[in-house]
Amino acid sequence: MAPNKKKEAGNLPIKLEGTNGDFEVKVLSSSLSGPQRTSAVTLALSTKDMKHCQLERGDAVLLTSPTGRRSVASCDIGGPGGGAVISPALQRSLNVQEGETVIISMDFIAEEAAELRFEVPAKLNQVWAQTAGALKLDRYLNATFDGTLLFAGDLRTISVNGQWWDVRVLECKSTQPRPGGKSSEGEGPDPPRLVTTSTKVVANFAGDSSESIGGRELGSGAAPPASHGFGRVGGLKQGVEEL
């Protein structure tokens, strides 16, 4: 049964009764300040809306789209109020459009990821060989996403040698495998997976099994913008130049 909605004054996020403090909020846009191509995985709310939801900047939240897609984001302050501004990678992961709503859940569990399989652009394989030398792409992806909470189907953006590249999570296996796709409590769908240094990371190049997703040049010396609170959500830790 769908949770009941509790009416709130004005355009505040709607608290869902019968839940552990979940809220429903309208998506205003997927645009953030700065370049559109960014490693950020952000849900930005006004200060008033953040206070109403009892959230703080940097909090990790689980978002659910009307179609049931889920992704984990970091909270940030921004936007005009009365809705959420989400980063492009998050919008594509959830497949939500402006005017649709997402459910914000603060109370959720996570399981450690045993194996993580990414789809990466085929062209990145060529760029990587010219840039990284003996450093393996799998190792770089593990270092980049260490401490990140991911779902299968998530799309994230990384930077390699001044270019942005989209990578998609094809599979995210738990260290606690169970039949039926149930959580460790035996109820509901699988929770997000926490990537650690022990997680086995495999890179599959697009074109072998699905469509390609490419990169965009940022210009000489360009680097990803700094983000707040992404250690457990999906922000880029370091550029390949720094590894």
Side-chain angles (χ1 to χ4, degrees):
M1 180 181 296
N4 295 322
K5 299 179 182 180
K6 182 179 178 180
K7 292 184 179 180
E8 306 288 355
N11 293 320
L12 291 172
I14 299 173
K15 188 172 184 178
L16 302 179
E17 296 180 333
T19 69
N20 293 326
D22 294 355
F23 285 86
E24 184 180 77
V25 64
K26 182 182 294 186
V27 175
L28 299 179
S29 72
S30 62
S31 300
L32 297 173
S33 60
Q36 280 292 301
R37 206 65 176 269
T38 172
S39 60
V41 188
T42 309
L43 170 81
L45 298 168
S46 69
T47 301
K48 182 178 180 180
D49 288 349
M50 290 272 280
K51 184 177 180 180
H52 176 69
C53 296
Q54 297 183 316
L55 290 169
E56 294 184 1
R57 190 178 187 187
D59 283 349
V61 293
L62 173 65
L63 300 180
T64 305
S65 75
T67 59
R69 289 199 182 189
R70 296 175 299 151
S71 193
V72 177
S74 178
C75 291
D76 205 350
I77 297 173
V85 178
I86 62 176
S87 56
L90 184 59
Q91 185 269 333
R92 287 178 288 170
S93 294
L94 293 171
N95 193 27
V96 292
Q97 306 300 322
E98 182 177 334
E100 294 184 322
T101 59
V102 294
I103 295 175
I104 306 172
S105 302
M106 286 76 81
D107 185 14
F108 62 94
I109 63 169
E111 295 177 353
E112 184 176 341
E115 182 176 331
L116 187 63
R117 191 159 59 91
F118 281 103
E119 178 190 57
V120 302
K123 187 178 179 181
L124 178 56
N125 189 28
Q126 303 171 10
V127 173
W128 188 263
Q130 298 168 1
T131 303
L135 180 63
K136 299 292 186 182
L137 179 58
D138 294 350
R139 180 187 168 194
Y140 171 67
L141 290 172
N142 183 280
T144 298
F145 291 99
D146 180 26
T148 297
L149 293 168
L150 293 173
F151 284 100
D154 274 339
L155 188 141
R156 297 293 181 259
T157 304
I158 64 173
S159 176
V160 175
N161 199 28
Q163 284 185 311
W164 292 114
W165 301 92
D166 290 332
V167 298
R168 192 184 310 278
V169 181
L170 295 178
E171 189 174 22
C172 203
K173 295 181 180 179
S174 172
T175 56
Q176 307 171 46
R178 298 169 309 279
K182 301 296 182 180
S183 69
S184 56
E185 283 78 10
E187 298 180 359
D190 282 348
R193 313 301 195 201
L194 174 63
V195 183
T196 71
T197 54
S198 300
T199 302
K200 178 182 177 182
V201 176
V202 179
N204 292 104
F205 295 103
D208 296 338
S209 59
S210 58
E211 75 282 357
S212 297
I213 42 180
R216 182 181 65 174
E217 181 64 48
L218 289 179
S220 179
S227 300
H228 176 88
F230 290 106
R232 295 175 56 81
V233 180
L236 184 66
K237 283 197 166 185
Q238 293 180 330
V240 65
E241 302 89 347
E242 300 171 346
L243 282 177

